[in-house]
Amino acid sequence: MKSIRESRSFDIAKLWVSRTAFYVLFLFLSFGLSHYIVLNYGPSTYNMASARYLISAIIQSEAAIMAIIVTLSLVAVELASSSYSVRMIDLLKLYNPDFWILMVVYIISMVFSMFVLKSIPDESTANMELMVSFAYHTGVYSFLILFPYLFRTLKMLKPSTLLNMQAMKLTAHNITKAISSDAGIVQKKDPIQPIIDIVSGSLLNHDFETTRNGINIIGIRAREIFIHNDLEETERKMVANYIFSRLARYGKFTLTNNDEDATFIVLKNLEMLWDELKKKDPSESVLQASSSLEQIGTVSADLYHKNVLSTVTNQLYDIGQKALDKNYDGEVSRIIDSLASVCISCIEKRTDPRLVDNIIHSISILGMKASETEQESSVSQSIESLDALKLSLELVDVPEYQRLYEKADKIAGSIRQN
């Protein structure tokens, strides 16, 4: 059964209800305060001529302030869309109830005040004094609510607020909807892409805090999907593939822009997600981890990000070891293949031989262990991978690489004999 947090409509409704409740409470407080002031310090009776001037001034002030509110809101939207993404325009329309509440309040206040202004007679009556007082109270309220609106608007311009608003759209339902959409509109419905747009722009602007927050928000929301959804197997695989592929793609982007810190945050969130997915679908978790790490590892080898490369290969090896212990033969063969792909990229780029040696050593241990436990797919894959590495190493006329060629040949022979 889907969690209530998975409903985007619930998120929006909850926001609108909470903000409306705030302004209603503020209305009672404002009316109570202004009524107390009028009751204790105001005149006992109203002069109708003065009342006309007062209400006329209130109407004109509210009209001017309303124009300023609209201008401020448009500037805020423009700043958000130009700094992050044009998708922020639609987002701010949905997740900014304060603006629409203020518009309604000001329109009602001005229309009522104009009605009162038109109805004011030359002589004061009890009913008219009540209406003038109410117009005065609504005017005071319309001025006071500018303060919470201003604070709310300034808060909405913070990158973390925009990211959290966009993250509300990251649900299993929206992901499957985006996947099943036609190719022409899938980008428009993609719930992760707007967040990726924001963190990509922040990365290029060297705004590391926004980059880190955006990646972590994707990780947290994705983890909630795996925790709070009882998805069918096919749907779970679709959602998992979507999330892991997007994060892996962004991990490659961080490497091409030489930001290893951001890459390590991506790797941290990937690890958190495949650990969570493992609780419901262990084999799928291994496959997704293998695919994601292979993509990032291949790019790190091409661009020679040594620290990332070392971390990726170690993670692949650790996952392979744990999968072997659980007899996930097919999944381990995929891990071995990923290690080999990363290793070939290292050889092609003439990476530090010690890194290549480490990968060959990892494949050899996985292959020997698979042979001992009679996991045939993994054994076959380890032999094929070592043979592929031998072909690549053979082409490199460097003593260290030739030594590694001999080592790979010897290990492959040992696995065959077992």
Side-chain angles (χ1 to χ4, degrees):
M1 185 176 183
K2 289 191 175 183
S3 167
I4 213 167
R5 299 165 70 181
E6 278 296 301
S7 172
R8 178 189 171 196
S9 60
F10 177 81
D11 288 328
I12 298 173
K14 182 179 178 182
L15 177 63
W16 277 79
V17 169
S18 64
R19 296 310 298 170
T20 303
F22 170 80
Y23 282 104
V24 169
L25 177 62
F26 202 87
L27 172 68
F28 289 119
L29 293 175
S30 172
F31 269 50
L33 177 63
S34 59
H35 179 69
Y36 174 80
I37 292 173
V38 169
L39 193 63
N40 289 275
Y41 304 103
S44 56
T45 58
Y46 291 136
N47 181 286
M48 291 296 103
S50 298
R52 289 191 184 95
Y53 286 118
L54 173 65
I55 294 177
S56 176
I58 289 175
I59 295 171
Q60 294 177 58
S61 299
E62 287 177 339
I65 292 172
M66 185 175 175
I68 294 172
I69 290 172
V70 172
T71 303
L72 174 63
S73 299
L74 291 176
V75 169
V77 170
E78 175 63 25
L79 285 172
S81 60
S82 61
S83 299
Y84 304 111
S85 169
V86 293
R87 293 182 178 89
M88 293 298 105
I89 296 175
D90 292 332
L91 193 65
L92 291 171
K93 285 194 300 184
L94 283 174
Y95 293 95
N96 187 17
D98 294 61
F99 172 75
W100 303 109
I101 292 171
L102 255 71
M103 290 297 98
V104 171
V105 168
Y106 271 76
I107 290 171
I108 292 175
S109 179
M110 286 189 291
V111 169
F112 178 76
S113 297
M114 285 188 289
F115 173 76
V116 174
L117 181 62
K118 183 180 179 181
S119 304
I120 293 178
D122 293 333
E123 299 294 330
S124 175
T125 63
N127 184 53
M128 182 52 61
E129 288 189 3
L130 181 62
M131 295 178 67
V132 170
S133 295
F134 193 81
Y136 166 74
H137 295 327
T138 57
V140 171
Y141 173 66
S142 65
F143 297 143
L144 289 179
I145 58 175
L146 290 175
F147 293 100
Y149 168 74
L150 179 61
F151 292 140
R152 174 77 177 173
T153 302
L154 293 176
K155 183 181 178 182
M156 286 186 65
L157 292 178
K158 293 174 62 177
S160 58
T161 304
L162 294 172
L163 287 167
N164 280 307
M165 286 193 304
Q166 184 61 53
M168 291 182 183
K169 297 169 64 177
L170 185 53
T171 65
H173 172 73
N174 285 340
I175 290 173
T176 53
K177 187 177 179 181
I179 294 171
S180 61
S181 298
D182 295 334
I185 59 174
V186 64
Q187 196 75 2
K188 183 178 179 181
K189 294 184 177 181
D190 192 334
I192 276 187
Q193 193 57 48
I195 304 177
I196 295 295
D197 289 344
I198 294 176
V199 294
S200 297
S202 300
L203 179 68
L204 296 176
N205 292 327
H206 307 289
D207 183 358
F208 181 72
E209 182 180 358
T210 301
T211 303
R212 179 190 62 202
N213 289 340
I215 299 170
N216 288 334
I217 284 171
I218 292 175
I220 291 169
R221 291 290 295 192
R223 182 170 178 267
E224 289 176 357
I225 291 174
F226 293 143
I227 292 174
H228 297 291
N229 279 280
D230 205 3
L231 302 173
E232 295 181 358
E233 182 179 358
T234 303
E235 188 178 15
R236 183 171 59 245
K237 291 182 186 298
M238 289 173 57
V239 170
N241 184 65
Y242 168 89
I243 293 171
F244 280 98
S245 63
R246 290 299 190 280
L247 281 174
R249 184 189 302 172
Y250 186 72
K252 294 189 291 184
F253 176 77
T254 61
L255 287 171
T256 56
N257 287 277
N258 299 308
D259 194 333
E260 286 192 355
D261 290 337
T263 309
F264 280 114
I265 294 174
V266 172
L267 289 172
K268 178 183 176 182
N269 280 276
L270 283 170
E271 183 177 6
M272 174 187 70
L273 291 177
W274 70 59
D275 283 343
E276 191 59 50
L277 180 60
K278 182 167 60 177
K279 297 175 183 177
K280 294 186 177 180
D281 196 339
S283 62
E284 182 66 20
S285 171
V286 174
L287 293 175
Q288 291 296 340
S290 172
S291 176
S292 302
L293 291 172
E294 179 183 338
Q295 293 179 60
I296 295 174
T298 302
V299 174
S300 63
D302 291 340
L303 302 175
Y304 195 46
H305 289 278
K306 186 176 179 180
N307 293 330
V308 175
L309 182 58
S310 179
T311 300
V312 165
T313 53
N314 289 335
Q315 284 182 319
L316 282 169
Y317 172 70
D318 289 340
I319 293 169
Q321 283 277 31
K322 294 174 182 177
L324 274 174
D325 293 336
K326 295 183 179 296
N327 294 316
Y328 295 153
D329 188 17
E331 289 74 16
V332 174
S333 67
R334 184 69 182 83
I335 291 288
I336 294 171
D337 183 60
S338 295
L339 281 168
S341 296
V342 174
C343 192
I344 289 173
S345 295
C346 291
I347 296 169
E348 291 175 349
K349 295 299 178 179
R350 306 299 189 267
T351 308
D352 186 346
R354 288 175 295 182
L355 289 173
V356 177
D357 190 7
N358 182 57
I359 297 174
I360 292 174
H361 181 68
S362 298
I363 293 174
S364 69
I365 293 177
L366 293 175
M368 294 297 290
K369 186 173 181 179
S371 178
E372 292 171 2
T373 55
E374 299 182 353
Q375 299 187 46
E376 297 300 328
S377 295
S378 300
V379 172
S380 176
Q381 184 61 58
S382 62
I383 294 172
E384 289 180 14
S385 296
L386 289 169
D387 287 341
L389 295 179
K390 284 165 52 183
L391 290 174
S392 297
L393 290 165
E394 193 176 26
L395 301 175
V396 184
D397 190 18
V398 175
E400 280 296 318
Y401 276 78
Q402 291 305 308
R403 182 186 66 80
L404 291 173
Y405 170 85
E406 295 174 0
K407 180 177 181 179
D409 184 54
K410 183 178 179 181
I411 292 170
S414 298
I415 296 174
R416 283 192 180 94
Q417 289 177 0
N418 289 343

